[in-house]
């Protein structure tokens, strides 16, 4: 594994699609470090990475504690059990997997300041995937609107592992349309300006469809 080469390659690929898609806004690369230890994460940070993502609470806290001296932005990207909210939520800069009203209520109870959250949506309707169906959102947003510790910065989605290029294009463009509709509503504490989608295997399609945060693991650490 050559971290410097891999990080350069990811940066190049992101820039290439960004330019091809005529994107003027920023695309933030979150390095998903769940596969590697603190030392490897630190080495990656030294290549210029600013955003770190973890999907498990224990691993998140381990890296957060060990790398406090760096100015990093910390993303919790995986589904979060309600009983673990209190251990982690106040250290999280962005939580990407808000997928139930009950979880939002638990965050409301434990947060000491407003928490930036992505609402996870499941556009493909795949049973195994977490996330809200688009037709649930009106009701869900009405409930979350009452929680002043929840700031909804945008939508997050994950495409099915086996999705074809056409399916990826379909899922990501529909998620983008939905994000733009919600942004227009200008709801209080819900700017909906961000779009978290794209992993190692599909980040190029995601960026072409408006992703502002991509979550990349494998491509850094192969
Ligand atoms: C692991 C993970 C990623 C990164 O996946 P790669 O295929 O390794 O790039 C992105 N998002 C979530 C929620 C993950 O759990």
């Amino acid at each position: 594994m050559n971290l410097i080469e891999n990080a350069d390659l990811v940066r190049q690929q992101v820039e290439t699609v960004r330019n091809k898609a005529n994107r003027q806004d920023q695309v933030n690369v979150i390095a998903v470090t769940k596969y590697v230890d603190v030392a490897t994460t630190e080495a990656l940070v030294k290549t210029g990475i600013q955003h770190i993502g973890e999907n498990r609470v224990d691993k998140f806290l381990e890296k957060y504690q060990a790398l406090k001296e760096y100015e990093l932005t910390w993303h919790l990207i995986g589904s979060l059990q309600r009983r673990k909210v209190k251990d982690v939520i106040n250290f999280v800069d962005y939580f990407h997997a808000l997928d139930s009203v009950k979880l939002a209520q638990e965050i409301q109870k434990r947060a000491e300041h407003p928490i930036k959250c992505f609402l996870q949506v499941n556009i493909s309707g795949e049973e195994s995937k977490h996330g809200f169906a688009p037709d649930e959102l009106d009701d869900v947003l009405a409930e979350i609107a009452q929680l002043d510790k929840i700031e909804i910065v945008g939508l997050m989605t994950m495409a099915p592992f086996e999705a074809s290029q056409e399916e990826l294009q379909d899922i990501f463009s529909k998620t983008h349309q939905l994000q733009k509709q919600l942004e227009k509503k200008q709801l209080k504490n819900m700017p909906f300006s961000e779009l978290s989608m794209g992993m190692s295997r599909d980040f190029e399609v995601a960026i072409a469809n408006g992703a502002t945060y991509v979550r990349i693991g494998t491509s850094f650490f192969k």
Side-chain angles (χ1 to χ4, degrees):
M1 156 166 89
N2 185 329
L3 280 181
I4 296 180
E5 268 178 29
N6 290 349
D8 276 349
L9 189 59
V10 169
R11 263 190 281 275
Q12 269 173 35
Q13 288 169 326
V14 168
E15 272 317 293
T16 304
V17 261
R18 218 179 131 259
N19 289 332
K20 239 199 275 176
N22 254 318
R23 295 274 308 269
Q24 309 294 325
D25 55 342
Q26 205 173 334
V27 177
N28 301 288
V29 174
I30 302 170
V32 178
T33 53
K34 65 189 183 191
Y35 311 107
V36 298
D37 59 11
V38 166
T40 309
T41 304
E42 184 167 14
L44 186 65
V45 166
K46 288 182 174 159
T47 73
I49 284 292
Q50 286 161 347
H51 295 271
I52 301 291
E54 282 285 337
N55 67 336
R56 309 258 321 224
V57 168
D58 50 349
K59 294 277 186 70
F60 178 99
L61 291 172
E62 183 194 359
K63 295 205 172 85
Y64 178 84
Q65 297 295 345
L67 300 172
K68 259 190 176 153
E69 67 195 274
Y70 295 94
E71 285 215 5
L72 297 169
T73 303
W74 290 91
H75 300 261
L76 187 63
I77 60 175
S79 58
L80 174 61
Q81 290 173 297
R82 268 184 283 156
R83 65 185 170 83
K84 294 197 174 163
V85 167
K86 63 178 184 310
D87 301 333
V88 73
I89 203 65
N90 289 301
F91 307 116
V92 170
D93 292 307
Y94 290 87
F95 174 51
H96 289 245
L98 186 58
D99 61 0
S100 78
V101 172
K102 286 211 159 103
L103 179 58
Q105 287 165 341
E106 180 65 17
I107 293 172
Q108 171 72 21
K109 197 160 114 191
R110 305 292 185 175
E112 289 156 8
H113 54 84
I115 308 293
K116 292 184 188 328
C117 299
F118 287 86
L119 214 58
Q120 186 169 354
V121 291
N122 181 355
I123 294 276
S124 62
E126 200 191 16
E127 292 272 330
S128 63
K129 286 272 182 276
H130 290 268
F132 296 107
D135 62 9
E136 288 180 282
L137 286 183
D138 279 348
D139 292 346
V140 166
L141 292 180
E143 298 217 43
I144 293 179
Q146 303 177 33
L147 310 176
D148 65 356
K149 298 280 178 30
I150 307 276
E151 179 184 351
I152 304 289
V153 296
L155 294 182
M156 179 274 214
T157 203
M158 286 173 82
F161 188 74
E162 65 292 347
S164 66
Q165 288 300 112
E166 290 79 48
E167 285 164 337
L168 289 174
Q169 175 62 35
D170 184 58
I171 291 166
F172 290 153
S173 67
K174 281 182 179 151
T175 309
H176 190 204
Q177 282 168 25
L178 185 58
Q179 177 243 324
K180 286 287 162 202
Q181 283 168 21
L182 293 163
E183 186 179 27
K184 272 206 198 104
K185 292 191 179 184
Q186 299 191 306
L187 303 170
K188 187 161 167 265
N189 287 336
M190 300 184 181
F192 274 113
S193 52
E194 308 298 330
L195 195 50
S196 168
M197 59 188 196
M199 306 165 50
S200 294
R201 60 173 183 272
D202 56 20
F203 71 85
E204 291 166 304
V205 190
I207 292 171
N209 286 284
T212 62
Y213 286 89
V214 289
R215 310 177 310 269
I216 299 179
T218 310
S219 298
F220 284 112
F221 305 115
K222 61 191 179 191

